[in-house]
Amino acid sequence: MCPPYKLRHICMEYMADKIHSTANQAKDTEDIGVILRFMSWNVDRLTEKLLESRMVAILNKIKQLKPDVVFLQEITDPVLMSIYDVFLDDFLVYKPETNYHYFVIMLVRQATFSNVTFETISFENSKMGRNFVRCNAEYLGMPLTFLTTHLESKKPNASTRIEQLQLCVNELTGNSGSEFRLLAGDLNLRDYELHKVQNMGTVKDAWIEAGSVKEHQYTWDMSINDNLQDTPNKPLAWKCRFDRMYYISEKHKSEPGTCCSSKQTEAKDRFELKKFELIGMERLACGLFTSDHFGMWAEFKVNLT
């Protein structure tokens, strides 16, 4: 087990590095604008094996990629304190209202968004302390909504999981006041469960919209990721797209008098998906992957003109 003080020691090193890199901060934030970046990752904090190295890799990845919004699942209080220490100057960090020993969190970059609010919505049918977090924010005056969750685990809990996903989808489709709505997290979803969820046809699946690239399909793939190879009853070739990213964007139409207004072109999404890929697919120096899950990374272009 990795004691909390070790993680906090790592954070102090980050903080010292931050003091010496002040001159680069303005440059680092110059590209925060017309491209919004999202990261979602189940970090597998519940597995103690080489925990310190794996959690430091998560912090490194956030620091390296500079996402605007981060959704993390399977977080515990010691890891949360490390995240506070490293990122509290840059992000609003929200832990849901829960007494469960692990949980989801959301990080929202302060320099990107304004009027940010958070809310925890508990799943009444959960036996695992599950809930979803809703964030309402504004970007350049446009209202946006972000959701993250960790749906009920294990195959026998399919009916519970489907009910939970339905509540999340209802939140996406019913919040018509937002220009852009996004749900990302570990949904523990099997493809055959989708047909039981209503209104899925009105939301977009980021992996599909990005071209259904096979290399970025399975977020939990034991044919590649061997972190759990010693776990009993885990088939070594099992792979699944447990983690997903769904979104709805309002359409963008050119204003009269712009260069495109005279052409009969199909309106683009106001928030147009430009990239979807998996992250954390490289093996760390310690010999493990960062998590038994691969993370999701997405970039959206904001069409302003």
Side-chain angles (χ1 to χ4, degrees), residues 175-228:
N175 193 354
S176 58
S178 290
E179 289 273 343
F180 180 66
R181 289 146 272 166
L182 183 140
L183 163 67
D186 179 1
L187 307 187
N188 278 305
L189 200 61
R190 283 74 170 168
D191 285 337
Y192 59 82
E193 297 170 357
L194 273 179
H195 75 277
K196 297 182 179 180
V197 181
Q198 298 179 1
N199 296 323
M200 287 303 300
T202 64
V203 302
K204 293 183 177 181
D205 183 321
W207 174 71
I208 293 175
E209 294 298 317
S212 303
V213 178
K214 288 294 183 182
E215 291 78 7
H216 300 295
Q217 179 176 8
Y218 298 111
T219 62
W220 201 82
D221 187 347
M222 294 193 70
S223 70
I224 299 173
N225 190 321
D226 54 5
N227 279 22
L228 300 182

Side-chain angles (χ1 to χ4, degrees), residues 116-133:
V116 179
T117 61
F118 297 97
E119 184 178 1
T120 303
I121 296 89
S122 297
F123 293 130
E124 295 181 0
N125 66 350
S126 179
K127 296 180 180 178
M128 302 178 179
R130 304 294 169 89
N131 50 46
F132 73 88
V133 169

Side-chain angles (χ1 to χ4, degrees), residues 285-303:
C286 67
L288 293 183
F289 292 88
T290 304
S291 170
D292 62 326
H293 290 247
F294 298 130
M296 297 182 292
W297 177 263
E299 298 180 6
F300 289 83
K301 176 185 176 184
V302 185
N303 292 308

Side-chain angles (χ1 to χ4, degrees), residues 252-268:
H252 168 65
K253 297 181 180 179
S254 298
E255 296 293 333
T258 64
C259 62
C260 300
S261 60
S262 60
K263 299 179 181 180
Q264 297 297 318
T265 57
E266 183 179 353
K268 294 182 178 180

